[in-house]
């Protein structure tokens, strides 16, 4: 059984590389940045900043061998920006208009009430089916359920949607990008009464809300 631990600042480069590899064939990432080489460059810059921010201000859990990761953000967060509009423009380059469309779509779903946001959930292909994704979820659920805070996320594949449904998440109606793929919003109540499926069920591929901009509380 893989031991799960909190990520440390020194883990940021490895986690960033893991997630950059994960978006190589992700449908929403392909829509955002169609060119594969450009996609890796864009997401490396964006993810390095987001993971670093989450390690300091949110919760990032990994197994000892760093072959999987769950990245969580609390909403509202302390008065520190993940990425300003300026930073997003620098890293996204010509893909900026599509990132803005995506943020607007995800923003139409996200609640302003306090919640925990699952930003990324990824298990490398060689470790799937071993229950690691479930244990990553369980670690954070155990921390938060006693407080009663809900959880939100948006994912990019039906497999990940179905995996999260097996862990107490309720799927909403799909979100549709302009001339692009669908996304599935999910929410989970704090300390849900429903019994979830075993953590040994099929491991998730990716949760990708791409909500990388400023998450500060609005006045």
């Amino acid at each position: 059984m893989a031991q799960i631990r909190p990520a440390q600042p020194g883990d940021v480069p490895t986690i960033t590389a893991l997630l950059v590899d994960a978006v190589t064939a992700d449908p929403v990432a392909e829509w955002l940045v169609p060119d594969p080489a450009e996609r890796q460059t864009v997401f490396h810059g964006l993810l390095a900043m987001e993971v670093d921010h989450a390690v300091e201000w949110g919760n990032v859990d990994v197994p000892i061998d760093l072959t999987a990761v769950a990245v969580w953000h609390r909403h509202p967060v302390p008065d520190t920006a993940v990425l300003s509009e300026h930073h997003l423009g620098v890293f996204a380059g010509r893909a900026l208009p599509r990132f803005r469309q995506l943020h607007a779509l995800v923003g139409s779903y996200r609640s302003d009430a306090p919640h925990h946001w699952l930003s990324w959930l990824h298990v490398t292909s060689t470790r799937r089916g071993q229950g690691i994704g479930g244990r990553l979820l369980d670690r954070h659920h155990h921390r938060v359920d006693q407080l009663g805070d809900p959880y939100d996320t948006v994912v990019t594949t039906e497999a990940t949607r179905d995996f999260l449904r097996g862990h107490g998440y309720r799927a909403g109606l799909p979100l549709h990008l302009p001339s692009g793929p669908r996304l599935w919003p999910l929410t989970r109540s704090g300390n849900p009464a429903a019994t979830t499926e075993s953590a040994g069920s099929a491991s998730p591929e990716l949760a990708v809300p791409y909500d990388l901009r400023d998450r500060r509380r609005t006045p």
Side-chain angles (χ1 to χ4, degrees), residues 50 101 105 108 122 172 204:
E50 190 197 1
Q101 287 178 305
L105 184 65
S108 70
H122 179 64

Side-chain angles (χ1 to χ4, degrees), residues 32-49:
L32 286 166
V33 190
D35 179 77
E38 182 183 359
R39 190 182 315 136
Q40 289 217 345
T41 300
V42 167
F43 277 98
H44 189 276
L46 293 173
L47 288 165
M49 289 195 70

Side-chain angles (χ1 to χ4, degrees), residues 61-86:
D61 295 320
V62 293
I64 295 297
D65 61 4
L66 292 172
T67 55
V69 63
V71 179
W72 298 88
H73 294 276
R74 296 184 294 273
H75 180 83
V77 298
D79 195 24
T80 55
V82 178
L83 285 179
S84 68
E85 183 72 16
H86 169 72

Side-chain angles (χ1 to χ4, degrees), residues 5 41 52 54 67 131 157 187 219:
R5 65 170 176 83
T41 300
D52 183 70
T67 55
T157 68
T187 187

